[in-house]
Amino acid sequence: MSLASADASRSAARRLSPVGLVALVAPYGDDGHHAQRYAQSGWESIAVTLPDTALPPAHRGVGPPVGCRSVLVHHGVRRTAKKLRARGVHAVVAAGGLGVDLADRLARALELPGGEPATSALRTDRAVQAAALADMGLAAPRGLRTSSLAAALSWAKDADLPAYVVTAADSATPLPGAVCTSAAEIRAAWGPQRHAAVHHSGTEALVIQERVPGQQFVVHTVTHPATGAHTISAIWAELRTRDGVHGRSDLLEHDSVLGRALTVYVRRVLDVLGVAGGAARCRIAFPYERGPVLLSARAYARTSPAEALCEREAAGTDHVQAAVHATVAGRVPPPPGQRRHVARVSLIAPYDGVVDGRSLHTVTTLPTVTAGTGLPTGGTPVLRTVDRATRPGELVLAASSRQAIEEDYWMIREIERGGLYR
């Protein structure tokens, strides 16, 4: 090979080789999203996983993470940090709820940006979050963290509130909280919520809190790892049925009155929770007589396929991509300008039935429907929708006019009532 050819080969290798290596801690349920986004930015990733014996049941035996160059099984912070240092890791990122605490400890051991390990519970536990916010004079739900049903019933009796929410203390547990208005309903909710907590987090700890009324919002954020400045990447406004089933989520303009109020509150919340870098997701209730109230926060990026499609349709980026950009570029991208109005709509079957193919075609070809996720085909049996698991798919609606989305949204509901589910 000539010298010129050798130089050309080395130049090509430099262009193709990654500029960094990131450790993705506990990427369970991520489906390779983080690894894919880092690869698109020229970085490779190594997955840090927990041994099966240390995992809650939901994550045992799930197979190797998708898209990572290699997998490192964690066996002690000092040993894992030594192996990551030897491989030249440039960043440590929590890719799931089980990874927040470990990512903080590994980052500290490697002298890389990360959260303070002593305060990791602030970024994972609903009760700890509520107590910290209340101590700082910020609105937070009253509640009790306990694994005892008797203690929960006693607290509810003393609190004497109109309604309560029983849910897992771990903010990453996917089962929605149960709204209860009586001791009998608290008892009925306790078993399923405790099972979900153990299954997904490995702990029986639950929280019983006051049910905060008002519309709910989900705010995606990315924090600059060097300056600690918080950028709001997306604000979702949710609408739910009377039974608590998700109906639709709309991306809210950041410069709207609501958007500005939520931005101010969330930035203060992130400071209290010690979010010093990377992604976070905050769920907030907004009773107008009280102002925004944090219901839960989790310090990692995770979006559903429909959420990611909506965010990219509206602003060209999604939550994971924005967090990756902060790691790779060393800076947080500016708040995205919303190019289009978008909504994420859950199909809701009012009864058990069978999907009518012709009606489904009508729904999916409405002018603003740009994509669908998890959609059934004609002839597929469906159950009455009572939660996320029983909804027959989601639709992404996008348009330059919000009115066009409204018209198609109500047409979808009309088709559902008129025979989408025979």
Side-chain angles (χ1 to χ4, degrees):
M1 178 184 292
S2 68
L3 290 176
S5 297
D7 289 342
S9 296
R10 283 193 290 270
S11 297
R14 281 195 296 270
R15 287 196 302 271
L16 294 173
S17 62
V19 296
L21 178 64
V22 60
L24 300 178
V25 184
Y28 303 106
D30 176 57
D31 295 327
H33 199 177
H34 276 83
Q36 179 187 36
R37 291 300 190 197
Y38 276 105
Q40 290 170 351
S41 298
W43 279 41
E44 286 189 347
S45 53
I46 177 173
V48 179
T49 63
L50 303 175
D52 260 18
T53 54
L55 286 173
H59 304 297
R60 294 175 191 162
V62 296
V66 177
C68 294
R69 185 179 75 177
S70 58
V71 178
L72 175 61
V73 180
H74 171 66
H75 291 289
V77 171
R78 291 180 63 182
R79 184 185 302 180
T80 301
K82 182 178 180 180
K83 292 180 178 179
L84 292 176
R85 187 180 293 110
R87 299 188 189 193
V89 164
H90 295 81
V92 179
V93 173
L98 294 176
V100 174
D101 173 67
L102 179 55
D104 288 344
R105 290 184 287 140
L106 289 173
R108 172 58 60 89
L110 292 166
E111 298 181 334
L112 293 171
E116 170 59 49
T119 65
S120 293
L122 284 171
R123 297 176 288 283
T124 61
D125 191 294
R126 287 181 170 91
V128 177
Q129 292 167 1
L133 293 174
D135 286 346
M136 296 301 294
L138 290 176
R142 291 176 287 168
L144 175 71
R145 185 186 195 275
T146 181
S147 57
S148 166
L149 173 58
L153 291 169
S154 177
W155 181 87
K157 182 178 180 180
D158 291 342
D160 192 26
L161 298 171
Y164 310 88
V165 174
V166 175
T167 188
D170 187 334
S171 61
T173 302
L175 183 69
V179 178
C180 306
T181 58
S182 67
E185 290 180 354
I186 293 172
R187 290 190 187 92
W190 199 261
Q193 291 293 331
R194 182 171 60 184
H195 172 77
V198 172
H199 188 65
H200 291 280
S201 70
T203 174
E204 293 185 351
L206 299 184
V207 172
I208 180 168
Q209 292 180 326
E210 65 168 313
R211 180 182 181 274
V212 182
Q215 186 176 6
Q216 292 191 13
F217 300 84
V218 175
V219 182
H220 293 172
T221 70
V222 181
T223 300
H224 192 294
T227 66
H230 309 300
T231 296
I232 309 301
S233 61
I235 303 174
W236 288 95
E238 286 191 351
L239 289 177
R240 293 179 175 268
T241 68
R242 291 182 179 179
D243 298 327
V245 175
H246 177 268
R248 65 184 281 186
S249 294
D250 292 76
L251 272 177
L252 195 66
E253 291 86 351
H254 292 206
D255 60 357
S256 65
V257 174
L258 269 176
R260 290 196 296 269
L262 288 165
T263 295
V264 170
Y265 175 76
V266 167
R267 285 176 172 160
R268 296 180 66 192
V269 164
L270 295 176
D271 286 338
V272 173
L273 301 186
V275 177
R281 175 186 176 101
C282 300
R283 176 170 290 277
I284 297 164
F286 202 143
Y288 290 101
E289 70 282 357
R290 184 176 176 183
V293 181
L294 181 77
L295 303 180
S296 67
R298 60 192 199 197
Y300 62 95
R302 180 69 54 83
T303 58
S304 71
E307 271 184 335
L309 284 170
C310 281
E311 291 177 10
R312 290 197 296 270
E313 186 77 45
T317 186
D318 61 51
H319 194 202
V320 174
Q321 189 172 5
V324 167
H325 185 278
T327 303
V328 170
R331 58 185 177 83
V332 176
Q338 192 159 322
R339 303 179 302 191
R340 305 183 75 190
H341 298 287
V342 294
R344 177 171 62 89
V345 175
S346 292
L347 294 180
I348 300 175
Y351 42 74
D352 297 353
V354 176
V355 175
D356 177 71
R358 183 174 297 178
S359 297
L360 181 63
H361 177 74
T362 301
V363 166
T364 57
T365 55
L366 289 169
T368 67
V369 175
T370 62
T373 63
L375 296 177
T377 57
T380 302
V382 294
L383 299 175
R384 182 175 72 88
T385 304
V386 296
D387 54 22
R388 180 182 300 178
T390 52
R391 66 186 176 191
E394 289 184 285
L395 299 169
V396 174
L397 279 60
S400 58
S401 161
R402 187 171 294 282
Q403 181 60 32
I405 289 179
E406 289 297 318
E407 291 173 0
D408 281 358
Y409 172 75
W410 290 112
M411 180 61 71
I412 291 166
R413 295 304 182 215
E414 184 63 30
I415 294 171
E416 282 189 317
R417 288 190 294 268
L420 178 53
Y421 315 105
R422 291 184 282 109

